[in-house]
Amino acid sequence: MTLWLTRIIPDQRSRDARRDSDHAIDLHHRMMSLFPDSVADTEARRRLGVLFRTESTTAGQQILLQSARPPDLDRLPAGYGQAATKTLFPLLEALRDGLQVRYRIAANPIRRPSRATRELYQLKAVVPLQGAAAEDWWTRQSEATGLTLATLRSTPLDAARGRRRSDQRPIQHDRVLFEGTAVITDADRLRTRLTDGIGKGKAYGCGLLSIAPHREAQ
C-alpha cells in the first residue's frame, strides 16, 4: 500500500484559488479534477483515496491533498500556485505498535440523536459537537483508529460550506482541528484509517489524518 501527499500553496492573486478557498464544493471539484476523467463517477473520491485539508501556516494558506495515486498537477489552472507531491510509503512502512507520533486532523464531530431524543429536545437529525463533547468524540475515534492519545488540543474552525452544483442545495460541515501526540496501538488499523479517512464530510475537507514520528525535545 502506498499513498501520495501533495502540498499546494495557492497564489491569492489567482481568481480560481480565491474562489476555491471560499467554497468547499468548488475545492472538492478542483481536487478531483487532478485525476483522470476515466474514474469520474460517484465513487471516484473513495476509489482514488482522495482526502484533503486546508490549513493556515506561517507562510500562508496551504492545501494538503492525500491520494492513492499521484495527481496530475498540470491540471491546475495557470497561476494557481505552487504544488509538489511526495510518496508516503516510507512513513507507512515505519509505523509500528508502540511508536509515539504527532497527529493532526480537521474533522466533523457529530452525533445523531434518536428520534425520541430529537422530538423531546427539538434537535436536528445531526448535531455538531463542540468543546469537551468534540474531544470525547475524537478520543473514541482515535482508539478505533489504533491510537492512544497522550495529549489533545482542539480548535474550532470555520465550517466547510458551499452549494451543490446539481441542485444548488447548501452543504455545511462544522469542523474542529484536533492535534497532539499519541502512541500507536494497532499499526495495521492505523494504516487503513489513514487511507480511508475519519468521520463525515470527507469530500469537503474533513477526515484527513496526518501523523509524523514524535521526538521529545532534548
Side-chain angles (χ1 to χ4, degrees):
M1 177 183 70
T2 189
L3 293 172
W4 301 84
L5 182 67
T6 301
R7 187 185 309 273
I8 303 172
I9 302 176
D11 188 333
Q12 293 305 310
R13 293 173 296 182
S14 164
R15 182 175 62 181
D16 291 312
R18 292 197 304 272
R19 183 187 64 192
D20 291 348
S21 68
D22 292 334
H23 302 282
I25 290 180
D26 287 338
L27 185 54
H28 161 75
H29 286 290
R30 180 74 64 199
M31 297 298 100
M32 295 305 301
S33 76
L34 304 181
F35 299 92
D37 297 335
S38 59
V39 289
D41 57 32
T42 56
E43 293 295 317
R45 189 209 62 78
R46 182 185 60 79
R47 293 202 292 128
L48 290 167
V50 172
L51 298 165
F52 65 90
R53 180 175 75 242
T54 58
E55 59 186 23
S56 299
T57 72
T58 55
Q61 291 290 320
Q62 69 175 11
I63 304 166
L64 295 180
L65 167 65
Q66 181 180 286
S67 53
R69 62 189 294 178
D72 182 356
L73 298 180
D74 290 337
R75 291 186 169 213
L76 284 171
Y80 192 90
Q82 302 176 12
T85 299
K86 68 176 182 180
T87 178
L88 291 178
F89 180 78
L91 172 65
L92 296 173
E93 284 290 289
L95 299 181
R96 55 177 173 78
D97 293 2
L99 180 68
Q100 294 186 349
V101 295
R102 292 179 286 111
Y103 66 84
R104 175 177 290 178
I105 180 173
N108 173 226
I110 60 171
R111 69 181 179 93
R112 297 180 182 274
S114 67
R115 180 177 179 179
T117 300
R118 294 200 309 270
E119 292 176 351
L120 179 61
Y121 295 101
Q122 297 296 298
L123 299 174
K124 295 182 178 180
V126 176
V127 178
L129 302 177
Q130 300 176 349
E135 293 184 353
D136 288 343
W137 177 91
W138 169 239
T139 299
R140 294 192 300 272
Q141 291 291 327
S142 63
E143 291 172 353
T145 297
L147 295 172
T148 294
L149 301 185
T151 63
L152 166 59
R153 181 169 68 253
S154 64
T155 307
L157 300 174
D158 291 339
R161 292 186 172 90
R163 288 188 177 274
R164 300 182 190 274
R165 292 185 177 180
S166 58
D167 56 16
Q168 289 300 297
R169 283 192 304 158
I171 66 102
Q172 175 174 323
H173 294 280
D174 292 83
R175 299 184 303 150
V176 177
L177 179 68
F178 302 104
E179 52 191 340
T181 58
V183 175
I184 298 176
T185 56
D186 190 328
D188 289 337
R189 187 185 306 174
L190 176 58
R191 290 187 188 94
T192 297
R193 297 275 273 180
L194 285 169
T195 302
D196 295 343
I198 297 172
K200 300 295 184 180
K202 298 186 188 75
Y204 307 112
C206 303
L208 170 58
L209 174 61
S210 301
I211 62 170
H214 175 58
R215 296 177 177 85
E216 297 286 353
Q218 299 297 319

